[in-house]
Amino acid sequence: MTFDAARYTAQLQDKVTRLRDLLAPFDAPEPQVFESPLQNFRLRAEFRLWREGGERHYAMFSQDDKRTPILIEDFPIASARINQLMPQLKAAWQASAALSHKLFQVEFLTTLAGDAMITLCYHRPLDEHWHTAANQLAADLNVSIIGRSKGKRDVIGHDYVVEKLDVGGRTFSYRQPEGAFTQPNGTVNQKMLNWAYEALGDRPDDLLELYCGNGNFTLPLATRVRKVLATEISKTSVNAALSNLDENAVDNVTLVRLSAEELTEALNEVRPFRRLHGIDLKSYEFGSVFVDPPRAGMDPDTCELTRRFDNILYISCNPETLAANIAQLHDTHQITQCAMFDQFPWTHHMESGVLLTRR
């Protein structure tokens, strides 16, 4: 892959133009643009393994052809740590039948701080010989190893990596579990967090956060408000978020395992939820809501819920659904800040953010 700076700049400008055009009907201000490194920006990668010439090779497939493998030795868009580990891991499985037998997929998860975890996926049970070899591999590479086989999981070291991100003059520590969602571009994620931190500003009231994940935004935003009610439906992400809140001594956040749709029902008093037992929703003085929904955006009821708040801070991985949600809110809220984050260089995907304030 050629990392041509001029080509990157042209692609970036195309994304900015696309976002600007989508938000033009809402009189959006000119977006702030946050660029990505041209290479070594992706902190996670997943590869199938393909046998050819009597050896297993890292392989990927194009979206147009899922049958013809593209054999690779390195992956320049992935982090330097992943590129360092790829040949070391390949040499290890080539030298060990215990590691290579029926190995079909490899996953890497790394951090800006240099922590690394490798998941090895097998079409066979993992035996004592595998454990001996995997323990040695973890020690040799200074990584955690996860072995996966037919619904079972063996952990050597930790089943997470720890990321450290600087936001608002403070370093936050994030536990990122194996298999859970994390932002792939750590450099741009840090820029995104700082933008959201500044956009929210210091506030005397409370924040509602929907889709909080592992607490990526929760931790820094909690330092800007009186208290936070945050929701997330994934058990893995909830457990990671609770660990992250504790690790960073953030004690003004109440986290509940509810979907955004369920919380909407709870706030509308449609029905009670046992998971809200002991939480007095009426004690909150919400001035702002923060949302980071999946690609489908907010459903109409959740979107309508956000209308109640003076400030809506919205991070989106899909500008089309962002624009559709803003269309529903435009009669009561206006865009006062706008940003484009190039989380996914060399693709058409982008992350964007807006701050909507009540008219």
Side-chain angles (χ1 to χ4, degrees):
M1 184 175 187
T2 303
F3 296 102
D4 179 75
R7 180 165 158 258
Y8 173 77
T9 301
Q11 288 184 347
L12 183 68
Q13 189 54 51
D14 286 344
K15 294 180 186 181
V16 175
T17 300
R18 180 172 154 225
L19 180 63
R20 187 188 294 127
D21 291 346
L22 282 166
L23 300 186
F26 315 114
D27 301 317
E30 185 67 14
Q32 290 178 262
V33 179
F34 296 89
E35 299 182 2
S36 170
L38 272 64
Q39 59 182 327
N40 299 133
F41 53 82
R42 188 172 178 85
L43 296 177
R44 63 176 192 249
E46 176 182 306
F47 304 102
R48 295 301 297 266
L49 298 190
W50 193 267
R51 290 184 68 90
E52 188 169 288
E55 293 184 0
R56 283 180 172 80
H57 302 271
Y58 295 106
M60 301 186 76
F61 297 83
S62 71
Q63 290 187 336
D64 300 329
D65 183 356
K66 300 297 184 182
R67 295 176 178 271
T68 306
I70 303 168
L71 305 185
I72 59 175
E73 297 298 325
D74 56 14
F75 194 46
I77 67 171
S79 68
R81 184 80 165 108
I82 291 176
N83 281 279
Q84 175 194 45
L85 289 169
M86 286 176 69
Q88 296 173 336
L89 177 61
K90 184 174 182 178
W93 81 55
Q94 286 177 331
S96 170
L99 290 175
S100 64
H101 183 50
K102 295 195 175 180
L103 174 66
F104 71 92
Q105 183 166 299
V106 173
E107 301 166 11
F108 295 91
L109 179 61
T110 62
T111 70
L112 294 174
D115 202 3
M117 177 172 59
I118 300 174
T119 301
L120 305 175
C121 302
Y122 292 87
H123 286 312
R124 67 175 178 91
L126 301 180
D127 56 18
E128 184 179 333
H129 298 293
W130 180 87
H131 280 275
T132 300
N135 271 284
Q136 187 61 55
L137 177 65
D140 291 344
L141 301 186
N142 190 27
V143 300
S144 292
I145 297 287
I146 310 291
R148 284 196 170 273
S149 167
K150 299 181 179 178
K152 294 184 178 181
R153 188 178 73 148
D154 292 82
V155 179
I156 298 170
H158 300 291
D159 64 349
Y160 58 86
V161 293
V162 176
E163 182 63 283
K164 295 184 183 298
L165 299 173
D166 296 326
V167 186
R170 174 177 171 180
T171 300
F172 292 92
S173 175
Y174 292 90
R175 181 178 294 195
Q176 301 182 336
E178 187 247 356
F181 173 79
T182 55
Q183 296 286 349
N185 190 324
T187 301
V188 175
N189 182 38
Q190 189 165 255
K191 294 177 181 180
M192 195 161 62
L193 292 174
N194 276 282
W195 178 84
Y197 176 88
E198 293 298 332
L200 181 62
D202 280 320
R203 299 194 52 83
D205 48 20
D206 303 328
L207 173 70
L208 175 65
E209 181 182 3
L210 308 179
Y211 324 95
C212 78
N214 72 343
N216 186 47
F217 287 93
T218 317
L219 300 182
L221 295 185
T223 67
R224 300 295 250 174
V225 297
R226 192 175 67 118
K227 58 182 180 177
V228 179
L229 178 65
T231 70
E232 170 59 46
I233 193 61
S234 162
K235 283 185 179 180
T236 302
S237 294
V238 166
N239 289 335
L242 291 171
S243 295
N244 292 334
L245 291 168
D246 183 61
E247 174 69 24
N248 291 274
V250 175
D251 60 4
N252 63 337
V253 176
T254 299
L255 179 60
V256 292
R257 195 172 68 83
L258 291 175
S259 68
E261 294 82 1
E262 288 172 329
L263 184 69
T264 299
E265 292 183 338
L267 290 172
N268 289 336
E269 299 183 348
V270 173
R271 64 186 178 106
F273 290 87
R274 271 192 290 179
R275 282 166 281 174
L276 285 170
H277 179 71
I279 299 173
D280 181 7
L281 294 178
K282 294 182 179 179
S283 70
Y284 287 86
E285 298 174 8
F286 293 119
S288 307
V289 59
F290 174 79
V291 297
D292 182 11
R295 287 189 59 78
M298 292 187 288
D299 68 275
D301 289 341
T302 301
C303 193
E304 200 60 32
L305 170 70
T306 65
R307 190 193 299 277
R308 301 181 186 182
F309 305 93
D310 289 340
N311 305 292
I312 305 169
L313 190 55
Y314 191 145
I315 296 290
S316 169
C317 59
N318 184 343
E320 278 79 15
T321 55
L322 170 66
N325 284 160
I326 293 173
Q328 183 174 338
L329 298 165
H330 186 55
D331 58 332
T332 56
H333 288 72
Q334 60 184 343
I335 303 174
T336 54
Q337 293 190 47
C338 177
M340 198 287 285
F341 310 97
D342 199 18
Q343 276 268 10
F344 311 99
W346 313 112
T347 76
H348 71 282
H349 296 293
M350 66 171 132
E351 204 96 358
S352 52
V354 296
L355 176 64
L356 297 149
T357 57
R358 191 176 301 282
R359 294 182 182 279

